[in-house]
Amino acid sequence: MLKVTLKDEKEIELKKGIKIEEVVNSMGHKLKKEALAAKVDGKVIDLNGGLDKDCKLEILTFEDEGGKLALRHTTSHILAQAVKRLFPEVKLAIGPAIENGFYYDFDSGRPFTDADLELIEKEMNNIIKEDLILKRFELPRDEAINLMKEHGEDYKVELIEDLPEGEIISFYEQGEFIDLCAGPHVISTGKVKAFKLTSVAGAYWRGNEKNKMLQRIYGTSFIKRSQLDEYLKMLEEAKKRDHRKLGKELDLYSIQEEGPGFPFFHPNGMIIRNILESFWREEHKKAGYQEINTPIILGAELWKKSGHWDHYKENMYFTEIDGEPYAVKPMNCPGGLLMYKRNLHSYRELPIRMAELGLVHRHELSGALHGLMRVRCFTQDDAHLYMMPSQIKEEVIGVIELADRFYKIFGFEYYVELSTKPENSMGSDEDWEVATNALRETLETKKINYRVNEGDGAFYGPKIDFHLKDCIGRTWQCGTIQLDFQMPELFELTYIGADGEKHRPVMVHRTIFGSMERFIAILTEQCAGAFPTWLAPIQAIIIPVSEKHYDYAESLTQKIDSLNIRVEKDIRSEKVGFKIREAQLKKIPYMIIIGDKEVENSNISVRDRKEGDLGSMSLDDFIVKISKEINDKLNK
RNA sequence: GCUACUGUGGCUCAGCCGGUAGAGCAAUUGAUUCGUAAUCAAUAGGUCAGGGGUUCAAGUCCCCUCAGUAGCUCCA
């Protein structure tokens, strides 16, 4: 007999070799119906699996990540099976479950059309109705390869050949369909109650642009129809928060055909941007930063020295001045380095923190451009910190805390990545090792959860990245902290130590917003265009009921305006309802409605864009209220 | 850059199997002076992204270019 500990710490005795499915069947009706997979000693496996030793057992449903992934992974197999039934000549690549759904990559002679998708969905429904049982089996390497060769699945053969020695090679079979797969899966195709194929896109085999481009079909699935509908509705709603849509509606910015990837900031966008920048300046002054500004165009020699010429050339724009080659800066560091080199530095000055709101230009592939999120010129809220090696940890912590403070103010949740040495990099492995470990240790000291992103560092050093989410959950890198031993070496930076000798400082490159453009985009999506009052282009609008109240409106406007609150008045001959509707669409935080009553009582009637009518109050009370909201940078 | 899709007045969109552009909003003008999400009327505005081709005839079919969207690659 086996001792099995359940999720609620209850221990039960089961006979050895029992199938988890049987265990589930002996449980409550609800769990029996909802079970999708199981977690045995922390490892997610099929319900088909058996128990052969004492263990902890947890039954997973759609509410559990493991259950959800199993269901969606099975849906991707159903998709592949349907495709094979309809188009036998298509070859299979990979088909994992991903966040919010799944995909499957196919090598088909021609691209899938919308009509194909409909056919495929129909066939998938058939497979679900057939309620095929998923059977797992393992094969030794040679047999596995032979099996896949028999099926003409070249990509699968390649995958198996690349599996490390000793790796278990498993397959899943459902009806006539067999796929190489590690699992886990749900017990039968009938478990998928609601699914939808959402889009088709090209995707390179193994994510390498030198490889063949395959057809990727994306989809999602649920255990209830209502969940699918809800998800699709949620996506629709999320699209209304898209900063490209809101940017147009709120007249924040635009991108013209004459300059793809080069944004134009409109007056409303500039108000937000300028406030963000002055906030940034205040905070950086407090945090001990100096501010500098360096040129946008600098000589080619500088870029050769910094390594950009060799490691970053595809992303750079070039020009010529008086016959000499120059480059438009893609990064601010080389200019900043020249600034450091202007004079001698004592160890007593260190760390030196030089910040720069620097406009950089980078050539991004046309297909990568995306509103303000991904552009070809942007202003980084950059800073370069020069320090003694002994100061690294403290400085990196300082930046992490600064970033955290910024994101908290905007109410952003973020997640952190540690990116390591990329292929096209400079410097010795030892340097990279030391730098990467320094960052890792700092993250661990601060007890920050992070994911390692292998090979994604800058060419001169490893980095800690802060990622923020957009309206539909895509993540974008904003803040970054990059530890660099290379530039100080290349530019022969020095400081005079206590011993009177010259020493090499270490350098940290960092941003908090990331770029003004991307940050404004994220912010726009986060607040759905209803910017917190301290950032709103118009903070209050005065709406007189009729012409009789214009004088009072004018005097209120002047009073509020004199307090540096961004106020406007709407004296068009329109009805109140119409003016309110417009103000509401512009997402103006406060509407001040004044009619006979207000003029008579010398007060105002306030409407909040979210709460609606707040009733009447005195102008002074309103000013106290809105000023507090602005000064405290409240997110409401 | 790659794969697929899209591109009609400032904005959102209609235009069936090719017959030679239409609505709403916005704008302008006039009327209306009104109490918490749309007052009424009139006027003006487009060589249908650009270029080439097929055709008696192209917004509608074909090709090229440009731009956008989704994804891949890449990245703040």
Side-chain angles (χ1 to χ4, degrees):
Chain A
M1 294 300 263
L2 302 173
K3 249 190 236 160
V4 176
T5 315
L6 299 176
K7 198 184 172 188
D8 54 8
E9 299 299 323
K10 218 195 305 179
E11 251 182 40
I12 52 171
E13 293 222 326
L14 295 167
K15 66 171 194 281
K16 198 170 176 183
I18 190 171
K19 269 195 174 184
I20 300 172
E21 195 187 1
E22 294 174 53
V23 183
V24 170
N25 284 338
S26 69
M27 288 173 158
H29 180 70
K30 188 162 177 263
L31 202 54
K32 190 170 144 185
K33 211 173 130 196
E34 293 184 356
L36 294 175
K39 199 184 247 180
V40 175
D41 288 337
K43 198 176 165 228
V44 182
I45 63 165
D46 305 335
L47 293 180
N48 259 326
L51 300 175
D52 49 11
K53 59 178 190 336
D54 292 355
C55 60
K56 278 190 82 169
L57 173 69
E58 190 185 335
I59 305 301
L60 303 178
T61 68
F62 193 74
E63 302 308 314
D64 304 294
E65 199 55 27
K68 193 180 280 182
L69 288 174
L71 183 85
R72 288 172 172 171
H73 196 168
T74 301
T75 319
S76 88
H77 277 211
I78 297 172
L79 163 62
Q81 184 172 20
V83 168
K84 288 297 273 190
R85 281 186 182 178
L86 296 165
F87 314 98
E89 71 289 355
V90 168
K91 290 186 199 311
L92 305 176
I94 54 164
I98 52 172
E99 202 185 349
N100 297 324
F102 62 86
Y103 67 79
Y104 212 110
D105 285 349
F106 302 96
D107 181 4
S108 63
R110 59 181 188 89
F112 294 113
T113 62
D114 286 350
D116 292 336
L117 282 195
E118 267 180 51
L119 277 179
I120 295 169
E121 282 193 342
K122 265 192 196 137
E123 195 53 44
M124 286 175 73
N125 275 317
N126 290 337
I127 295 167
I128 290 169
K129 264 193 216 120
E130 289 164 27
D131 198 14
L132 304 170
I133 304 289
L134 281 98
K135 285 186 222 130
R136 182 178 196 274
F137 64 91
E138 293 173 9
L139 287 179
R141 181 176 297 255
D142 312 358
E143 287 180 41
I145 291 176
N146 282 338
L147 178 69
M148 285 296 102
K149 275 189 178 156
E150 273 168 38
H151 281 77
E153 299 294 0
D154 307 343
Y155 294 94
K156 299 290 180 186
V157 172
E158 192 180 325
L159 288 173
I160 298 171
E161 280 169 346
D162 287 356
L163 284 175
E165 235 13 90
E167 183 92 1
I168 292 171
I169 302 171
S170 61
F171 290 84
Y172 278 80
E173 186 176 16
Q174 60 197 56
E176 82 287 358
F177 178 78
I178 296 178
D179 198 359
L180 168 75
C181 181
H185 281 279
V186 299
I187 224 154
S188 72
T189 58
K191 286 280 174 191
V192 180
K193 301 295 183 198
F195 76 93
K196 185 174 169 57
L197 300 183
T198 47
S199 62
V200 197
Y204 301 108
W205 166 236
R206 301 200 139 176
N208 186 331
E209 63 181 324
K210 294 194 180 76
N211 290 342
K212 184 165 183 181
M213 183 161 268
L214 309 172
Q215 296 290 314
R216 174 173 297 178
I217 299 181
Y218 281 92
T220 188
S221 63
F222 295 86
I223 45 164
K224 279 190 209 147
R225 181 89 227 164
S226 59
Q227 287 172 327
L228 173 62
D229 292 342
E230 208 174 291
Y231 172 74
L232 295 175
K233 208 172 134 196
M234 190 271 293
L235 267 189
E236 281 305 303
E237 285 301 309
K239 279 187 192 147
K240 291 184 189 157
R241 300 212 312 263
D242 191 311
H243 79 280
R244 292 166 300 183
K245 188 173 156 62
L246 289 167
K248 204 182 275 179
E249 286 170 4
L250 302 174
D251 202 13
L252 303 178
Y253 81 100
S254 63
I255 294 175
Q256 317 280 338
E257 277 209 14
E258 289 79 355
F262 299 111
F264 287 62
F265 272 80
H266 300 1
N268 287 340
M270 275 317 284
I271 290 176
I272 294 167
R273 185 173 172 147
N274 284 332
I275 296 169
L276 287 175
E277 288 187 0
S278 42
F279 165 66
W280 182 89
R281 289 200 164 92
E282 279 166 34
E283 289 297 316
H284 280 73
K285 200 174 158 199
K286 278 192 235 162
Y289 286 74
Q290 306 165 280
E291 186 178 354
I292 59 165
N293 189 261
T294 67
I296 288 173
I297 296 175
L298 290 165
E301 285 311 311
L302 177 72
W303 303 104
K304 284 180 183 162
K305 190 169 177 180
S306 68
H308 286 83
W309 198 269
D310 290 330
H311 298 271
Y312 210 72
K313 207 170 178 189
E314 327 75 79
N315 287 296
M316 292 170 67
Y317 298 113
F318 299 94
T319 185
E320 205 175 82
I321 299 175
D322 293 340
E324 294 296 319
Y326 279 75
V328 181
K329 69 176 176 184
M331 294 189 197
N332 301 302
C333 37
L337 285 157
L338 296 182
M339 195 79 104
Y340 180 92
K341 272 179 77 79
R342 265 182 55 254
N343 42 27
L344 278 180
H345 296 283
S346 152
Y347 73 99
R348 292 169 187 278
E349 289 174 62
L350 302 182
I352 291 174
R353 308 187 188 95
M354 285 201 274
E356 170 174 21
L357 287 167
L359 175 62
V360 298
H361 288 71
R362 297 184 185 174
H363 179 72
E364 298 291 344
L365 294 179
S366 59
L369 301 177
H370 184 93
L372 285 182
M373 296 277 193
R374 193 74 180 278
V375 287
R376 285 181 172 151
C377 76
F378 54 99
T379 300
Q380 289 184 301
D381 66 316
D382 216 342
H384 297 99
L385 320 193
Y386 304 91
M387 67 203 74
M388 296 184 274
S390 62
Q391 294 169 315
I392 293 176
K393 204 161 172 180
E394 193 181 336
E395 283 308 301
V396 173
I397 286 178
V399 179
I400 290 176
E401 285 172 352
L402 188 62
D404 185 65
R405 185 153 82 245
F406 267 67
Y407 298 152
K408 278 221 175 83
I409 283 174
F410 296 97
F412 290 170
E413 291 207 4
Y414 59 90
Y415 82 91
V416 175
E417 275 188 10
L418 175 65
S419 296
T420 60
K421 189 169 184 244
E423 270 177 36
N424 179 20
S425 63
M426 294 169 34
S428 68
D429 285 351
E430 293 83 72
D431 275 357
W432 275 85
E433 178 106 15
V434 173
T436 310
N437 284 336
L439 293 181
R440 187 176 287 130
E441 279 165 28
T442 312
L443 284 172
E444 264 143 38
T445 308
K446 288 293 290 174
K447 296 201 177 13
I448 290 173
N449 279 328
Y450 65 95
R451 214 181 71 188
V452 176
N453 199 353
E454 291 300 345
D456 209 35
F459 70 82
Y460 44 76
K463 54 182 189 162
I464 293 173
D465 293 328
F466 296 83
H467 292 250
L468 301 178
K469 276 190 182 174
D470 72 6
C471 62
I472 60 170
R474 290 175 292 210
T475 71
W476 298 86
Q477 184 193 314
C478 289
T480 182
I481 306 173
Q482 311 176 343
L483 190 50
D484 179 5
F485 293 132
Q486 308 310 319
M487 296 288 165
E489 199 66 39
L490 295 170
F491 283 79
E492 301 175 312
L493 300 192
T494 58
Y495 67 90
I496 310 296
D499 56 5
E501 299 292 318
K502 283 187 175 176
H503 298 274
R504 190 73 78 219
V506 180
M507 183 178 182
V508 164
H509 310 235
R510 50 109 281 179
T511 65
I512 305 287
F513 287 144
S515 77
M516 299 312 296
E517 289 75 5
R518 181 174 287 182
F519 195 81
I520 289 170
I522 295 270
L523 177 64
T524 305
E525 304 204 346
Q526 194 84 20
C527 65
F531 293 98
T533 307
W534 68 288
L535 289 166
I538 304 172
Q539 295 169 315
I541 184 157
I542 294 170
I543 300 178
V545 172
S546 80
E547 236 168 77
K548 287 183 286 183
H549 316 113
Y550 283 8
D551 287 345
Y552 188 45
E554 177 57 28
S555 76
L556 288 174
T557 309
Q558 282 182 18
K559 275 185 202 151
I560 299 173
D561 181 66
S562 71
L563 297 164
N564 274 327
I565 292 167
R566 294 183 292 281
V567 63
E568 287 194 356
K569 59 178 196 290
D570 187 348
I571 50 167
R572 294 173 302 170
S573 64
E574 296 288 352
K575 288 189 166 178
V576 188
F578 179 84
K579 295 184 188 177
I580 287 174
R581 181 184 151 80
E582 289 220 326
Q584 197 75 47
L585 291 174
K586 285 193 206 159
K587 303 177 198 287
I588 298 170
Y590 291 102
M591 285 156 252
I592 296 172
I593 291 104
I594 51 168
D596 289 342
K597 260 191 301 179
E598 286 73 23
V599 173
E600 209 173 295
N601 301 323
S602 300
N603 63 8
I604 60 175
S605 168
V606 180
R607 185 188 164 92
D608 181 297
R609 68 182 161 192
K610 286 177 185 160
E611 317 275 325
D613 193 354
L614 299 183
S616 52
M617 62 176 82
S618 72
L619 177 62
D620 289 345
D621 285 350
F622 172 72
I623 286 170
V624 169
K625 176 182 163 64
I626 194 172
S627 301
K628 178 165 170 47
E629 206 176 310
I630 293 166
N631 294 332
D632 294 352
K633 303 185 170 51
L634 293 183
N635 264 312
K636 58 160 285 198

